[in-house]
Amino acid sequence: KNEHFKWDNYLKETGSLAVPPHCFRQSRIPPSNDFKVGMKLEAHDPRNVTSVCIATVIGITGARLRLRLDGSDNKNDFWRLVDSSDIQPIGTCEKKGGMLQPPLGFQMNASSWPMFLLRTLNGAEMAPAAFFKKEPPKPAPNYFKVGMKLEAVDKKNPYLICPATIGDVRGDEVFITFDGWRGAFDYWCKYDSRDIFPVGWCGLTGDALQPPGNNVSITKRGAKAQSSPSKVTRRSMQSPQKSVPVPAQCGRKTGRGNPPGQSTV
Ligand code: MLZ
């Protein structure tokens, strides 16, 4: 599938290492995805995580499901791994003494929720319990190192998994930067986030790994300069130093190791 992008070559070209698989909260062999479009399940509402809602599988992508909450609109789809603790078979909530909730932004009058729930579950194709896989254990501690490569969900375009580099590490958090893109997509997350994967993950799941952006720096120097955005940002935010009065803007451009004019969208 990912014909045009080869991790092996890319790691060599950039003189970089992959984050070792044991660092991630992901199973070594990706779980099989047995779900089918149209099946229903219970899911935590991403916008209101304490409530459990009914969701429908709208799409299948690698080891992930594209989900839509019943009674919600089509603008708030979200993606979950089949071994995510955010999803469970229908009936789980009730078994635990909980109540299924309308999603945030329920499109009907709140008073119509009980009847809506009844109707949405009536004759629904419920995803069998065996399709839900156990969430892998949390590795301890944070073994990530700056400069290492991985595959990461682009949170602004969550259907995309892209080549990324660890830009910084602080406590149990890691800074995800996307190769060939400016900082617009970067984010901090916990080292045990379910949105980050070892190199080769998409190749194994059949998910489409995006190629890096247009402005990949393939030199070791470039990769190194790219690897510590927080330091660069901090430096660029300081007032110009006495000895070298370089404008902040200029410092940032050179510090990022990226040529100007690359797109962020
Ligand atoms: N704005 C682009 C997607 C950019 C993806 C970047 N991922 C790091 C588009 O909508 O095509």
Side-chain angles (χ1 to χ4, degrees):
K1 262 181 186 166
N2 311 310
E3 315 274 356
H4 22 278
F5 179 73
K6 291 261 186 290
W7 267 118
D8 281 356
N9 303 340
Y10 187 68
L11 291 176
K12 267 177 218 144
E13 285 167 1
T14 56
S16 47
L17 296 170
V19 180
H22 70 263
C23 302
F24 295 89
R25 187 173 200 173
Q26 302 295 353
S27 58
R28 279 306 183 89
I29 299 156
S32 65
N33 192 342
D34 306 317
F35 289 82
K36 299 281 172 285
V37 167
M39 287 180 165
K40 291 191 192 293
L41 47 84
E42 293 181 1
H44 286 264
D45 185 343
R47 296 190 288 172
N48 189 18
V49 291
T50 54
S51 69
V52 179
C53 305
I54 297 294
T56 302
V57 177
I58 295 298
I60 310 279
T61 171
R64 297 188 301 160
L65 307 170
R66 177 178 179 168
L67 299 171
R68 187 173 298 165
L69 298 180
D70 288 34
S72 180
D73 55 84
N74 59 4
K75 301 284 186 300
N76 289 285
D77 291 354
F78 56 104
W79 283 256
R80 290 292 178 270
L81 289 160
V82 300
D83 61 2
S84 166
S85 57
D86 291 340
I87 58 169
Q88 57 201 29
I90 286 174
T92 311
C93 181
E94 193 183 25
K95 232 182 276 170
K96 289 180 180 166
M99 289 245 285
L100 288 169
Q101 302 294 322
L104 203 88
F106 181 53
Q107 289 183 308
M108 277 166 262
N109 195 301
S111 63
S112 61
W113 170 247
M115 191 54 76
F116 177 89
L117 183 60
L118 217 64
R119 289 207 178 124
T120 201
L121 290 178
N122 195 290
E125 188 184 0
M126 302 185 202
F131 290 7
F132 298 82
K133 310 297 181 201
K134 206 170 156 260
E135 186 164 69
K138 182 176 165 153
N142 183 356
Y143 293 110
F144 286 74
K145 299 277 177 283
V146 170
M148 287 178 166
K149 302 280 184 196
L150 68 159
E151 299 180 6
V153 170
D154 172 354
K155 292 202 186 189
K156 292 193 175 162
N157 304 283
Y159 45 93
L160 299 179
I161 299 182
C162 312
T165 306
I166 300 297
D168 203 351
V169 179
R170 271 186 215 168
D172 60 0
E173 301 224 329
V174 292
F175 191 63
I176 307 299
T177 67
F178 289 94
D179 288 39
W181 297 90
R182 284 198 190 227
F185 302 97
D186 298 355
Y187 59 84
W188 283 96
C189 66
K190 294 266 193 282
Y191 75 91
D192 63 346
S193 164
R194 303 306 317 280
D195 286 335
I196 57 176
F197 310 95
V199 160
W201 177 267
C202 286
L204 293 173
T205 62
D207 221 335
L209 180 68
Q210 297 301 117
N214 291 329
N215 294 277
V216 191
S217 49
I218 55 161
T219 62
K220 290 191 187 185
R221 226 183 110 255
K224 203 179 165 200
Q226 229 182 16
S227 71
S228 203
S230 69
K231 274 179 208 139
V232 172
T233 307
R234 239 179 287 134
R235 196 194 313 133
S236 68
M237 274 158 47
Q238 284 168 2
S239 52
Q241 282 148 8
K242 286 162 218 146
S243 49
V244 195
V246 183
Q249 186 63 20
C250 183
R252 191 186 306 136
K253 273 178 187 162
T254 53
R256 291 286 302 179
N258 289 329
Q262 72 183 44
S263 62
T264 56
V265 286

